[in-house]
Amino acid sequence: MRKWISFPHKEGKVSRQAHADFPEEGIYEREAGRSGFFGPAAHFHHQRPPTSWDSWEGPLRPRAFNLNDLETNVHSPFASPIVLHNASCKFRFWRCERNMDFLVRNADGDDLLFIHSGAGELFCDYGHLTLRDGDYVVIPRSTMWRLEPTEPMSILIIEATNDSYQLPEKGLVGPHAIFDPAMLDIPQIDDAFKAQQTDSKWTVEIKRRDEISKVHFSYSPLDAIGWHGDLSVVRINWRDIRPLMSHRYHLPPSAHTTFVASRFVVCTFVPRPIESDPGALKVPFYHNNDDFDEVIFYHAGNFFSRDNIDAGMVTFHPCGFTHGPHPKAFAAGQEYAKKETDEVAVMLDTRDPLEIGAPAYTVEDDAYSESWKVKK
């Protein structure tokens, strides 16, 4: 990989290094960037926080949804409420409390499951996997699968509609950074898998173009005795992710990319040391991500850039306006009050605008856009 040396234009008082060594005390940096932190960018130095608005009018505003209050205990993942969606992805939340006595198959695209809470057993075409909280599970398109919870499971599901999940190109740091592909777990054809190969009646629910068809069998279709190849369900837990970090520079969210599809990326924020260099920014920078909508699902820990956000909540920042840390979090970063983060969160960045699903409006925090105001 090569890139020609360039000499960006400078105007007025600026820092020579983005996100560090600001020209004056009390200056607020804002990044205007294209192509999701990979394209051209400009860095502005403002006298006031770029999020210090007085009020909002119109539909384009930051939003927050409390998924803990959704009615999500439904019989099938395909019946779970859609929180956000566009032509390239669907963002659902599902609670599975009892054994699935049927199989599902998504013919519309790959599914990414993130186990927010609970535990259970996954049975699929490829074999058997035991799941726990914090697991990501990539399920290739048209794979048959079902769950047997050992504890009630709350599951975030992100469908790559008419698409597939791949790993990001890791460039200069090499393919073993963040997590080694050897850390990916694959289902096994073990005793538990063989034990479920009964001659009882089974039904497969197939979703295609968001319509459900049902196929009935007089035996379990999960009757494989073996398989070989390089396509499979895979699992990795957030605890196995070793994040990129710099003590002198606040890395953009794209450095924490875990999975990529054609029109969106999924990133994972996991505990890491906070930047220690005196001149380095220590919280997420104010930015307009002008080509992507940004969604963050909060899984666990203390979410250091947000106030009054609990596990199981989602924030949604459509592209088109500046967003960034809440005032309290920004002040704490300036004081270097914490030396490391303890948050775990899943971020979805989509190249195409997201629509809000009807169920999400019922659990929206209408006051979220006011949460950047400095309390007097």
Side-chain angles (χ1 to χ4, degrees):
M1 300 190 311
R2 301 195 304 167
K3 184 181 182 217
W4 288 105
I5 295 173
S6 62
F7 302 92
H9 179 77
K10 304 179 185 70
E11 188 70 37
K13 294 182 178 180
V14 298
S15 62
R16 297 181 66 188
Q17 170 64 54
H19 319 321
D21 301 326
F22 296 164
E24 296 179 9
E25 287 289 330
I27 290 297
Y28 300 89
E29 180 197 53
R30 171 174 65 97
E31 176 175 299
R34 304 302 303 273
S35 299
F37 305 104
F38 288 101
H43 294 89
F44 300 87
H45 298 290
H46 293 281
Q47 299 174 65
R48 298 176 182 83
T51 55
S52 55
W53 46 70
D54 292 327
S55 62
W56 270 89
E57 293 181 18
L60 181 71
R61 68 175 190 269
R63 297 175 181 270
F65 309 101
N66 190 344
L67 303 192
N68 298 298
D69 295 335
L70 273 180
E71 178 52 55
T72 57
N73 185 20
V74 292
H75 79 289
S76 168
F78 300 151
S80 60
I82 296 177
V83 179
L84 296 158
H85 64 98
N86 61 27
S88 301
C89 73
K90 292 182 174 65
F91 186 94
R92 299 176 181 268
F93 197 61
W94 180 43
R95 187 165 176 83
C96 181
E97 295 188 346
R98 61 182 186 275
N99 290 356
M100 294 171 63
D101 56 3
F102 61 98
L103 293 159
V104 293
R105 169 182 260 166
N106 189 350
D108 284 328
D110 285 13
D111 278 320
L112 176 65
L113 276 55
F114 179 77
I115 311 304
H116 174 51
S117 63
E121 310 300 324
L122 171 74
F123 296 93
C124 66
D125 283 310
Y126 299 92
H128 163 242
L129 267 175
T130 297
L131 305 182
R132 64 160 296 182
D133 66 291
D135 277 341
Y136 281 112
V137 185
V138 177
I139 301 181
R141 187 175 188 167
S142 289
T143 298
M144 289 187 294
W145 63 277
R146 65 183 180 88
L147 289 175
E148 292 186 359
T150 52
E151 301 172 22
M153 303 175 76
S154 294
I155 304 170
L156 178 68
I157 305 176
I158 306 175
E159 176 189 287
T161 308
N162 200 31
D163 203 351
S164 56
Y165 281 105
Q166 297 176 298
L167 298 180
E169 173 57 58
K170 297 175 186 175
L172 294 174
V173 298
H176 309 290
I178 306 177
F179 64 83
D180 193 311
M183 293 300 300
L184 293 167
D185 295 317
I186 293 173
Q188 295 183 319
I189 296 183
D190 55 16
D191 290 341
F193 184 71
K194 294 174 183 177
Q196 57 85 52
Q197 296 177 339
T198 64
D199 289 335
S200 55
K201 293 185 180 298
W202 282 91
T203 298
V204 181
E205 289 189 4
I206 304 175
K207 183 171 81 71
R208 175 61 176 160
R209 301 181 69 182
D210 288 329
E211 294 183 332
I212 303 298
S213 300
K214 295 184 179 181
V215 186
H216 305 282
F217 294 83
S218 58
Y219 62 92
S220 170
L222 300 185
D223 65 349
I225 61 170
W227 64 272
H228 63 101
D230 55 6
L231 174 69
S232 177
V233 168
V234 294
R235 174 191 65 191
I236 189 147
N237 195 281
W238 70 257
R239 297 169 180 85
D240 298 320
I241 294 174
R242 300 170 186 269
L244 296 179
M245 50 194 170
S246 168
H247 72 289
R248 301 193 66 203
Y249 174 76
H250 188 90
L251 297 175
S254 50
H256 306 293
T257 301
T258 310
F259 300 103
V260 296
S262 299
R263 304 294 291 177
F264 65 88
V265 301
V266 176
C267 305
T268 312
F269 302 131
V270 300
R272 62 168 181 82
I274 290 175
E275 296 78 10
S276 58
D277 185 273
L281 187 66
K282 297 174 176 61
V283 290
F285 44 88
Y286 296 104
H287 64 283
N288 354 331
N289 192 353
D290 285 328
D291 290 315
F292 284 73
D293 280 7
E294 178 185 289
V295 180
I296 300 182
F297 173 79
Y298 299 89
H299 170 58
N302 179 29
F303 308 111
F304 80 117
S305 67
R306 292 281 175 272
D307 294 333
N308 302 315
I309 293 291
D310 297 319
M313 295 184 69
V314 164
T315 56
F316 172 38
H317 299 164
C319 79
F321 67 90
T322 300
H323 56 276
H326 279 138
K328 182 179 176 182
F330 188 87
Q334 288 183 312
E335 296 169 3
Y336 195 27
K338 293 182 65 174
K339 302 301 185 283
E340 60 184 26
T341 72
D342 64 352
E343 70 177 5
V344 182
V346 176
M347 184 173 83
L348 168 70
D349 265 16
T350 67
R351 183 63 181 81
D352 307 300
L354 287 161
E355 303 290 337
I356 300 172
Y361 285 110
T362 67
V363 295
E364 182 176 5
D365 177 1
D366 293 323
Y368 179 63
S369 64
E370 305 294 311
S371 59
W372 277 266
K373 289 185 176 180
V374 178
K375 294 179 174 60
K376 299 178 181 179

